[in-house]
Amino acid sequence: VRTAAAATRSYESCIEVALRGGAICGIIVVGLCVLGITTLFIFIETFLPSVAMADIPSHLAGFGFGASLVALFAQLGGGIFTKAADVGADLVGKIESDFEEDDPRNPAVIADLVGDNVGDCAGRGADLFESIAAEI
């Protein structure tokens, strides 16, 4: 909504708002990943003293596998929501009301665009989290 509002002022402000929002999202995702790995390391070191320091990386690898599993479900959930909203908007708009695709008079277009946003943002955020967790 902020990007669309900025687009009414100028192209430069629109790009500025979009890039700042994307940068914040990326920083938060990477920060949460590093926080999770650090917390897991401290937990293992504090509450499991019998685990040798050389074995801790193999325990941390489980964090990467868990991130991959969460990313898979985030991408699937985003894709399912996107497809359901798109089909619903097309059925209502094209068949019942004879609207063009993404016609603003069709209320289902809002759900379609939200579904696209969820698919793009949640899927990319999940990919970033998975990549960072697996690489660290």
Side-chain angles (χ1 to χ4, degrees), residues 7-74:
T8 61
R9 291 189 301 271
S10 72
Y11 177 74
E12 289 80 21
S13 64
C14 173
I15 294 296
E16 184 179 325
V17 169
L19 288 177
R20 283 184 181 172
I24 293 299
C25 180
I27 289 169
I28 288 173
V29 167
V30 172
L32 287 174
C33 181
V34 171
L35 178 69
I37 291 173
T38 304
T39 303
L40 185 60
F41 180 81
I42 291 171
F43 178 82
I44 291 172
E45 194 175 46
T46 304
F47 295 109
L48 301 171
S50 61
V51 176
M53 190 63 88
D55 293 335
I56 290 180
S58 12
H59 292 287
L60 294 178
F63 186 82
F65 287 122
S68 295
L69 186 65
V70 168
L72 171 75
F73 285 112

Side-chain angles (χ1 to χ4, degrees), residues 66-122:
S68 295
L69 186 65
V70 168
L72 171 75
F73 285 112
Q75 291 166 350
L76 287 175
I80 290 169
F81 185 80
T82 299
K83 188 51 69 182
D86 188 36
V87 168
D90 289 345
L91 285 174
V92 169
K94 291 179 182 174
I95 295 174
E96 292 184 9
S97 301
D98 200 31
F99 290 149
E100 294 293 322
E101 177 131 5
D102 294 341
D103 190 311
R105 295 174 293 168
N106 182 2
V109 168
I110 295 171
D112 183 21
L113 296 178
V114 168
D116 292 342
N117 196 16
V118 167
D120 294 341
C121 295

